[in-house]
Amino acid sequence: MTLLALGINHKTAPVALREKVAFTPDSLVEALASLKKLEGVDESVIVSTCNRTELYVNTQDDTGQKLLQWLSDFHHLDVEEIANNSYVLAQDEAVKHIMRVASGLDSLILGEPQILGQVKQAFGDAKHSGMVSSEFDKLFQHTFSVAKRVRSETDIGANAVSVAYAAVQLAKHIFAELPKRSVLLVGAGETIELVAQHLKEQGVSCLAVANRTVARAEALAETLDASVFTLSQVPEHLKDFDIVISSTASQLPLIGKGMVEKALKQRKNMPMFLVDLAVPRDIESEVNELGDAYLYTVDDLQHIVQKNLENREQAAKEAEKLINKQAGDYMTWKQSQQSIDLVRQYRQKGMAQRDDIVEKAKAQLAEGKNAETVLEEMAYKLTNTLLHPTTLALREAAMHDDPALSRWMGQALDLSDFSSDDNK
């Protein structure tokens, strides 16, 4: 059996194709059942996210052609289109790949942590569908352990690499007890949604959303258990918030120096942390002139993100070394299991041949045949049966003029004369 990884990701295919080959939760169940029926496939796990679709299979098809055909048939796509935008990795390269994926080294955002949970979910779905046996169980459990080590032993996830995350991390540095702080989110777009998600992960519960369209703000606020008001209501509520993070499509600033100055006086000069993620700006730059207002713009955060990306790239090099070592350990274990299976099969075959010859000898004795003749015949048949495959292998090695193989077989069979002759 060969371990194969067939995949399409953000590096190899446009989003239009990635969407076509993605699996929904419902279609994933159907896909795993379909793979189970595919000839030569023993185990399989399907990882499907917005940036990748990957099939991990234990199969007799070491080229991946059957998998390519299956994927195109399942999604009703042209097989050549998939082949031209995909990759097939085998054995140790496939092992390294799944470990890199789970560790966030192959993600669009280097080191992002969500992918590990997605791979774990994919493994759980496959196991529930009966597509995971002992080998894949060992592979994926080892992979999860490696991903955990990458995060704990390197700085791959230590630094913010998105402006949304950087904004929350800055707030955390300025306010020691971030969960106790009140936060106003101005806007309700994708960036603010990401900020809100990071704030919730940090335990912030006092949240409010202000937006031009109240319905859009209410949709976001519902997921956050937050209060809602319009942009025109920001001046009267601003004093109530320790942190203000803004990202709208407004062409003019929404929060001016005077508005913030008034809010600070109402707060009795308790500090405010303001982050402007909008281009053009939502918050007047003059706000920085106020002593108790700390204003950061998207440019400030981009510098932080760039530096952190460089740090993550260095951490990724350390992670690659760890993954290479752990992938090697897994392949060594896999090869040892294969050798154990070969030895078991060899012994079982030898014992079966022995039992067959002994039973025939007993039958001959029961018929009254001379015992000495029966024993001699049994010994001859047993010796000839057990030595025949080895004799053929020795002849094959000699015919192909393979000194290394001949020497190895001589040593393995304890043929000192055979080995020494080869070394002359």
Side-chain angles (χ1 to χ4, degrees):
M1 303 296 286
T2 300
L3 170 62
L4 283 185
L6 166 64
I8 290 176
N9 65 19
H10 58 281
K11 297 176 183 177
T12 67
V15 66
L17 179 57
R18 298 203 305 272
E19 288 175 341
K20 292 176 183 177
V21 297
F23 293 90
T24 64
D26 290 337
S27 68
L28 184 63
V29 175
E30 181 187 348
L32 287 167
S34 176
L35 270 175
K36 198 171 187 177
K37 298 175 184 176
L38 192 63
E39 184 181 358
V41 171
D42 186 39
E43 299 175 275
S44 65
V45 171
I46 299 175
V47 177
S48 186
T49 72
C50 57
N51 285 322
R52 73 180 64 248
T53 291
E54 293 182 335
L55 312 178
Y56 295 93
V57 296
N58 213 4
T59 177
Q60 296 172 355
D61 170 27
D62 57 4
T63 66
Q65 289 303 310
K66 285 185 179 179
L67 279 179
L68 274 170
Q69 190 62 56
W70 176 86
L71 186 60
S72 66
D73 290 344
F74 188 89
H75 289 294
H76 309 292
L77 297 171
D78 177 46
V79 69
E80 287 300 317
E81 184 180 14
I82 295 178
N84 292 335
N85 292 276
S86 64
Y87 43 90
V88 178
L89 304 170
Q91 300 293 67
D92 58 333
E93 291 301 319
V95 173
K96 289 178 187 176
H97 184 72
I98 184 57
M99 290 181 178
R100 294 185 76 255
V101 168
S103 300
L105 299 188
D106 197 57
S107 297
L108 184 61
I109 298 176
L110 182 64
E112 60 94 2
Q114 288 82 9
I115 186 63
L116 177 57
Q118 292 167 330
V119 174
K120 284 184 176 180
Q121 181 65 50
F123 171 74
D125 292 339
K127 194 168 186 177
H128 182 73
S129 297
M131 288 304 294
V132 172
S133 298
S134 59
E135 187 170 323
F136 262 28
D137 191 70
K138 174 76 174 179
L139 170 61
F140 279 86
Q141 295 301 338
H142 190 52
T143 294
F144 302 149
S145 175
V146 170
K148 185 176 180 181
R149 286 187 60 186
V150 166
R151 302 205 74 79
S152 63
E153 296 178 20
T154 75
D155 289 332
I156 192 68
N159 304 294
V161 290
S162 72
V163 289
Y165 188 50
V168 175
Q169 289 301 304
L170 266 177
K172 188 177 178 181
H173 285 303
I174 290 175
F175 295 102
E177 296 180 320
L178 187 59
K180 295 182 179 180
R181 301 297 174 174
S182 55
V183 182
L184 171 61
L185 302 175
V186 182
E190 184 178 343
T191 300
I192 289 296
E193 286 183 12
L194 288 172
V195 171
Q197 179 183 332
H198 294 311
L199 287 168
K200 293 297 285 186
E201 289 172 357
Q202 292 296 327
V204 176
S205 58
C206 184
L207 287 163
V209 181
N211 194 51
R212 193 178 308 280
T213 306
V214 175
R216 181 73 180 269
E218 287 176 339
L220 175 58
E222 187 177 350
T223 65
L224 305 171
D225 193 24
S227 55
V228 174
F229 45 85
T230 64
L231 293 180
S232 62
Q233 293 175 297
V234 169
E236 65 182 280
H237 291 286
L238 194 60
K239 66 182 187 301
D240 301 323
F241 298 97
D242 303 307
I243 300 167
V244 179
I245 302 176
S246 184
S247 179
T248 74
S250 175
Q251 296 302 303
L252 296 172
L254 301 172
I255 300 173
K257 179 182 177 181
M259 188 191 302
V260 176
E261 188 172 23
K262 182 180 177 182
L264 286 171
K265 287 178 181 178
Q266 293 172 319
R267 290 169 59 82
K268 297 182 180 179
N269 292 317
M270 287 176 58
M272 290 180 69
F273 174 61
L274 302 98
V275 182
D276 189 353
L277 300 179
V279 179
R281 295 184 180 192
D282 281 342
I283 304 174
E284 286 183 350
S285 59
E286 288 79 9
V287 168
N288 247 338
E289 298 170 5
L290 301 172
D292 294 308
Y294 301 89
L295 173 63
Y296 286 82
T297 68
V298 69
D299 287 340
D300 297 324
L301 297 182
Q302 286 289 8
H303 291 310
I304 296 171
V305 167
Q306 183 56 42
K307 184 177 179 181
N308 289 346
L309 269 175
E310 292 170 2
N311 291 337
R312 281 201 178 189
E313 287 168 1
Q314 181 58 43
K317 293 177 183 177
E318 299 171 16
E320 294 283 5
K321 293 178 184 177
L322 175 59
I323 287 172
N324 288 339
K325 169 68 167 58
Q326 293 301 313
D329 289 349
Y330 172 79
M331 291 305 296
T332 298
W333 171 83
K334 183 178 179 181
Q335 289 162 2
S336 70
Q337 292 301 113
Q338 290 175 338
S339 66
I340 290 172
D341 290 341
L342 283 173
V343 170
R344 184 186 299 113
Q345 292 174 25
Y346 179 69
R347 291 181 63 84
Q348 288 174 345
K349 181 179 179 182
M351 288 187 287
Q353 291 171 328
R354 175 204 63 190
D355 293 343
D356 182 56
I357 291 170
V358 168
E359 286 301 316
K360 288 179 180 177
K362 287 179 179 179
Q364 289 177 328
L365 289 173
E367 293 172 359
K369 198 168 182 178
N370 180 272
E372 185 175 347
T373 302
V374 171
L375 284 173
E376 287 179 353
E377 184 178 340
M378 183 183 73
Y380 173 79
K381 287 183 178 179
L382 185 60
T383 302
N384 190 56
T385 299
L386 296 178
L387 291 182
H388 181 66
T390 308
T391 303
L392 291 179
L394 286 168
R395 286 177 181 170
E396 188 75 14
M399 287 175 62
H400 285 81
D401 193 21
D402 190 337
L405 178 59
S406 297
R407 183 163 52 253
W408 177 84
M409 292 190 67
Q411 292 170 347
L413 298 171
D414 194 23
L415 305 176
S416 55
D417 292 342
F418 185 94
S419 299
S420 60
D421 287 346
D422 185 64
N423 286 319
K424 287 180 183 179

